[in-house]
Amino acid sequence: MSVILEIKNLDKHFGGIHVTNHVNISFKKHEMSAIIGPNGAGKTTFFNLISGFIAPDGGSVIYDGQDITRDRPEKIVKLGMIRAFQVANVFLEESVYDNVYLASLAHFKKNAKMLVNRKAFGDAKEHADFILNKIGLFYCRDVKASELSHGDMKILDIAIALTLQPKILLLDEPTAGMAPDERIKMMALLKELHEFFQLTTIFIEHDMDMVFGIAEIIRVLVQGELIAEGSPDYIRQHERVIEAYLGKEVL
Ligand SMILES: Nc1ncnc2c1ncn2[C@@H]1O[C@H](COP(=O)(O)OP(=O)(O)OP(=O)(O)O)[C@@H](O)[C@H]1O
Ligand SMILES: [Mg+2]
């Protein structure tokens, strides 16, 4: 598999904290990978750095052969690296359908390069229907977003991300705050979407059932440093990872 995203020597300080410590990672195309580590390890900061939300002190981010290190988030989104944003992206007063349709319309209009384009409206509608079906929210398309369960709200957020036709999907704690049955549903859904859309999926997660259940590669950040990367079996037995994060209970 070829490399789609290459992180070279990425470095960031916040005041006295070395929050990203010379991190090197090669993400392969169509890899399903997890980033784990203790609270404050620098996981979200890593996403902020690679998606253009904050600038690194040093190092580079190469996406599909192109240096995007200091590019703006909008440009990175256009290139196909999309981040799911939990509730921040959702219009709570609008229906499930309108949330997905509006995102879809914005995407197709941008691509059509015209403010009003008949074809864009049709394409956006078809695309919104397709995404809602695929993600399992079509049955509740008329429900107001604010009335969704926490789990379905997260799924709606992922639906919005999918309308932008990602090549790389970044998810920051997709199962945070979910009940166990919602977590299992999310796990199956992410796996299915990953396969169906041939995504490269990178998720940050504290739920170890999910991490060890679906990730092909697990990377461990501790105090900004990548201390280990490898298969679930390799990570499960990694002494430094057990000591710094996993503890004995997941063995
Ligand atoms: N914009 C910022 N300015 C200053 N410090 C920050 C900023 N963002 C994060 N930090 C600090 O950087 C460190 C890493 O934070 P980050 O949010 O990346 O951790 P995390 O691994 O995502 O943790 P969690 O698992 O709790 O979500 C923390 O000490 C945090 O307080
Ligand atoms: Mg975080």
Side-chain angles (χ1 to χ4, degrees):
M1 272 195 291
S2 56
V3 171
I4 187 168
L5 181 68
E6 185 148 30
I7 312 300
K8 294 185 187 165
N9 217 13
L10 199 66
D11 206 57
K12 180 75 183 175
H13 288 83
F14 283 130
I17 316 171
H18 203 172
V19 74
T20 308
N21 188 352
H22 301 282
V23 169
N24 290 285
I25 303 177
S26 292
F27 292 95
K28 296 209 174 79
K29 213 170 255 179
H30 196 44
E31 183 178 276
M32 165 73 92
S33 66
I35 298 178
I36 64 172
N39 293 117
K43 304 181 295 298
T44 298
T45 302
F46 179 74
F47 271 9
N48 285 335
L49 288 169
I50 67 175
S51 55
F53 281 80
I54 56 175
D57 299 338
S60 49
V61 180
I62 313 292
Y63 172 83
D64 227 356
Q66 185 176 344
D67 191 330
I68 58 160
T69 314
R70 281 164 210 287
D71 284 349
R72 297 192 51 75
E74 306 83 74
K75 180 168 175 204
I76 295 173
V77 164
K78 235 177 169 174
L79 290 171
M81 180 147 67
I82 317 284
R83 206 170 156 179
F85 269 102
Q86 294 146 29
V87 289
N89 223 9
V90 173
F91 295 110
L92 293 171
E93 290 306 307
E94 305 299 333
S95 68
V96 166
Y97 180 81
D98 282 348
N99 266 281
V100 176
Y101 175 66
L102 290 171
S104 182
L105 187 60
H107 180 63
F108 279 93
K109 277 208 300 201
K110 212 183 300 159
N111 286 354
K113 294 202 174 69
M114 282 172 78
L115 197 62
V116 179
N117 178 312
R118 269 180 178 277
K119 187 169 181 315
F121 283 103
D123 288 349
K125 187 175 177 319
E126 204 175 296
H127 192 53
D129 286 349
F130 171 69
I131 297 284
L132 281 169
N133 265 312
K134 197 69 219 154
I135 209 155
L137 289 181
F138 197 78
Y139 79 98
C140 63
R141 62 193 177 281
D142 296 327
V143 171
K144 221 194 227 190
S146 60
E147 285 162 17
L148 292 178
S149 68
H150 177 68
D152 282 346
M153 184 82 89
K154 289 248 190 191
I155 291 174
L156 175 58
D157 183 58
I158 294 171
I160 291 170
L162 285 175
T163 61
L164 307 179
Q165 300 183 305
K167 294 191 179 80
I168 301 182
L169 183 62
L170 305 176
L171 302 156
D172 196 346
E173 301 193 31
T175 72
M178 282 188 179
D181 59 325
E182 287 181 321
R183 283 171 192 251
I184 291 165
K185 191 172 150 196
M186 178 61 93
M187 195 159 119
L189 179 66
L190 289 184
K191 210 167 165 198
E192 195 196 324
L193 296 173
H194 176 80
E195 290 307 327
F196 186 84
F197 291 103
Q198 289 289 296
L199 300 169
T200 300
T201 306
I202 309 172
F203 66 95
I204 294 171
E205 190 51 72
H206 284 288
D207 182 284
M208 290 303 119
D209 288 338
M210 162 116 172
V211 169
F212 285 92
I214 65 170
E216 295 154 349
I217 297 205
I218 301 170
R219 300 187 170 88
V220 188
L221 280 180
V222 175
Q223 293 180 357
E225 192 193 339
L226 181 73
I227 66 161
E229 64 177 324
S231 68
D233 283 345
Y234 173 77
I235 294 296
R236 200 180 268 122
Q237 296 167 22
H238 195 289
E239 272 190 29
R240 224 179 132 195
V241 176
I242 295 168
E243 192 185 312
Y245 183 57
L246 291 182
K248 306 281 180 206
E249 68 273 18
V250 294
L251 290 176

